[in-house]
Amino acid sequence: MEDLHQAEQVRLWQWVEGKAKQILEAAGFQELRTPVVEDAALFERSVGEHTDIVEKEMYTLEDRKGKRLALRPEGTASVVRAFVEHYTSHNIQEGRFYYLGPMYRYERPQKGRYRQFYQIGTEIFGSDHPLVDAELIYLGHQLFKELGLNDQVSLQLNSLGSMECRRKYRESLKKFLDQVKGDFSEEARERLERNPLRLLDSKEEAVQERLASAPVMTDFLSKEAKVHFEEVQWGLKELEVPFELNPRIVRGLDYYEKTVFEWVGAGLGAQNAVAAGGRYNHLVKDLGGPDLPGVGFALGMERLVSLVPPERLSEGPTPRVYLIPLDEVAGRELFLQLNELREAGAKVHLDLEGNSLKSKMRRAAKWNADWGVISGPEERSKGVVVFRNMKESSQEEIPADELLSRLLSKFPTKTFLL
Ligand code: HAM
């Protein structure tokens, strides 16, 4: 679990979150904030009892009355619970929600894998239409595009078919692998018993070798599932969202059926999924709600942010202006200008500590100021301020009442981020 403590990093996170909110709100999503702690059974019933997440990775605890709770390992189950509790109970049959916040999984930490990580997630309830899948996937695509990441992230797509197709496929895969499991590790053999589909994305070489000739999911799709999947692909092609079909994508959560997808990032190493999701048409009902379909995805903030080059943020930078009064009167005068400059889009700091020019200049440099504004008794008598380019160490006197317009002329576009 990590602190997010560097100012630049925090700014990058805020920027990414802001972009995501903009895109999702334009598409009719509303934010939902659910508790970080839920009844542990919620995740057992949704993510699945035989998944790694529930079996090995969930942080569980007992409250003072012995109730079993869990720190949420993901957001979908919580959002479905909240949707059922507050919406379907009032006969509202559809909804589009997004959420952002920390999730917890007791995984082995490594590059891109944390025990507390942040997700931005989306869920759409009430439609089984394949073009809704395509519409949703487009929103992820749009975010990557706006962050300038299209070349680094690629979309992988698969269909798991209906629950019935999945069951048939699971049986057939198990039968096949049972015959060749001789050289599998103990762990892989155990997984074959409990959750054979998870072997498809196993990193074990012996397993991967055998899988080359194993039955593939696509051959087990029902006619309806096939038509659905084709329509999703049609939608993505029309929207010019590039994708690759990958029959190995099964996802580590049990609630999926039909469309599943992952965005993988180049250069992220073993933990290369930046975002992932899929359709879950039985989950709302399984969690006590009406029979309503759903689809969604979540992206991992740490992984996403690590792909954004820091220069992205320095495009159209916010000018940093350091105000240096040399006496109390100048302090008051600059104090009165502070908000006007900030509202014009500059980042401004007024240094009221002590009156030594030297120490204020040192602090200005440390604060990484682009511009310094110096005013003292001498300047006041002439009606000017000293306008200093801190990066070039050059300065000039300008009429005091022209400060704002001078500053804006240096940044005429005023395209500050956020
Ligand atoms: P997930 O694939 O488990 O799906 O997680 C989604 C994303 O969260 C991953 O692609 C990854 O970027 C990030 N992530 C997961 N675990 C970690 C970790 N330990 N450290 C850092 N990042 C991590 C879900 O959670 C589903 N609820 C997604 C969904 C929403 N499906 C439908 N709606």
Side-chain angles (χ1 to χ4, degrees):
M1 299 190 187
E2 299 217 320
D3 293 315
L4 188 62
H5 62 97
Q6 285 174 330
E8 273 298 293
Q9 276 300 94
V10 174
R11 235 157 74 77
L12 206 55
W13 278 59
Q14 290 173 334
W15 180 60
V16 171
E17 287 168 1
K19 286 264 181 219
K21 282 185 187 181
Q22 231 172 34
I23 291 172
L24 292 168
E25 288 193 2
F29 287 73
Q30 86 185 54
E31 186 178 353
L32 195 65
R33 301 191 187 192
T34 64
V36 170
V37 180
E38 297 270 1
D39 191 338
L42 174 68
F43 302 109
E44 289 157 1
R45 288 162 60 200
S46 54
V47 174
E49 272 175 296
H50 297 303
T51 56
D52 283 353
I53 294 179
V54 166
E55 274 187 345
K56 301 183 190 158
E57 297 167 3
M58 206 152 69
Y59 281 88
T60 50
L61 60 137
E62 275 189 6
D63 73 6
R64 287 172 187 273
K65 292 209 167 134
K67 193 168 156 57
R68 272 184 69 245
L69 303 173
L71 297 187
R72 63 180 180 196
E74 61 110 45
T76 308
S78 304
V79 173
V80 172
R81 179 200 51 69
F83 177 60
V84 170
E85 213 169 303
H86 308 293
Y87 290 82
T88 67
S89 59
H90 293 92
N91 212 16
I92 296 168
Q93 309 280 325
E94 51 187 27
R96 292 176 163 223
F97 301 99
Y98 74 89
Y99 49 94
L100 26 95
M103 308 291 159
Y104 301 84
R105 296 183 193 173
Y106 193 82
E107 292 196 83
R108 200 164 46 79
Q110 63 183 75
K111 183 173 173 255
R113 191 158 74 186
Y114 305 92
R115 289 180 173 169
Q116 174 185 275
F117 57 96
Y118 280 75
Q119 283 186 346
I120 299 181
T122 64
E123 315 293 348
I124 300 180
F125 299 116
S127 173
D128 182 39
H129 202 292
L131 291 184
V132 170
D133 303 10
E135 181 196 353
L136 178 73
I137 292 173
Y138 185 82
L139 298 175
H141 170 79
Q142 188 186 351
L143 177 64
F144 292 125
K145 197 164 72 179
E146 290 197 14
L147 297 177
L149 295 178
N150 260 3
D151 293 342
Q152 277 141 284
V153 177
S154 64
L155 172 64
Q156 311 228 323
L157 190 67
N158 190 22
S159 173
L160 300 175
S162 64
M163 286 296 177
E164 181 58 15
C165 315
R166 225 176 118 165
R167 192 186 54 75
K168 284 190 190 146
Y169 177 57
R170 191 186 303 122
E171 273 169 23
S172 155
L173 183 71
K174 175 151 191 320
K175 212 158 141 193
F176 173 87
L177 292 175
D178 264 337
Q179 290 162 358
V180 297
K181 66 183 174 189
D183 50 354
F184 288 6
S185 70
E186 185 62 38
E187 196 194 334
R189 264 184 283 169
E190 198 189 309
R191 190 168 270 193
L192 178 58
E193 286 310 310
R194 290 158 164 271
N195 196 349
L197 289 185
R198 277 321 302 246
L199 280 179
L200 290 178
D201 54 11
S202 159
K203 305 237 151 56
E204 203 170 303
E205 220 170 280
V207 176
Q208 283 302 327
E209 259 171 40
R210 298 299 184 177
L211 282 174
S213 46
V216 286
M217 182 72 234
T218 350
D219 295 336
F220 288 75
L221 296 186
S222 65
K223 184 150 184 285
E224 198 259 336
K226 223 179 249 170
V227 169
H228 184 105
F229 194 37
E230 274 158 16
E231 185 74 355
V232 175
Q233 295 178 54
W234 176 85
L236 291 176
K237 279 181 195 147
E238 290 297 312
L239 298 176
E240 294 179 21
V241 178
F243 62 88
E244 228 175 89
L245 294 179
N246 181 352
R248 294 284 171 82
I249 292 191
V250 281
R251 313 281 298 118
L253 307 97
D254 279 353
Y255 48 65
Y256 293 112
E257 59 188 292
K258 292 189 174 170
T259 320
V260 286
F261 49 92
E262 285 184 6
W263 277 278
V264 287
L268 281 180
Q271 304 304 318
N272 64 357
V274 186
R279 181 162 277 291
Y280 47 85
N281 285 354
H282 287 82
L283 188 58
V284 179
K285 188 154 185 249
D286 287 349
L287 292 178
D291 193 3
L292 289 176
V295 61
F297 73 85
L299 59 84
M301 277 297 285
E302 290 79 1
R303 293 181 196 176
L304 177 63
V305 167
S306 77
L307 291 174
V308 181
E311 313 83 81
R312 288 279 315 165
L313 264 194
S314 50
E315 277 173 25
T318 305
R320 299 173 69 88
V321 183
Y322 204 84
L323 304 181
I324 304 180
L326 298 178
D327 66 2
E328 287 297 313
V329 178
R332 287 184 152 196
E333 276 172 9
L334 291 177
F335 170 79
L336 293 177
Q337 300 223 26
L338 190 59
N339 293 331
E340 201 178 19
L341 292 172
R342 283 180 181 159
E343 279 157 26
K347 179 157 185 165
V348 191
H349 181 77
L350 171 62
D351 186 342
L352 292 168
E353 304 313 310
N355 287 328
S356 141
L357 176 60
K358 207 167 146 203
S359 59
K360 286 185 195 228
M361 289 292 281
R362 212 179 306 124
R363 286 199 292 271
K366 213 165 152 195
W367 191 76
N368 198 17
D370 300 305
W371 304 95
V373 177
I374 305 162
S375 175
E378 207 183 308
E379 286 76 20
R380 189 161 54 248
S381 69
K382 291 194 269 177
V384 298
V385 293
V386 173
F387 189 51
R388 181 176 173 86
N389 183 331
M390 300 290 294
K391 295 286 152 73
E392 290 172 11
S393 299
S394 61
Q395 62 184 46
E396 57 178 322
E397 285 184 351
I398 60 168
D401 55 6
E402 284 178 19
L403 177 59
L404 181 64
S405 59
R406 280 300 269 271
L407 194 69
L408 287 179
S409 74
K410 304 283 180 193
F411 294 88
T413 49
K414 215 188 136 212
T415 49
F416 310 136
L417 292 166
L418 296 180

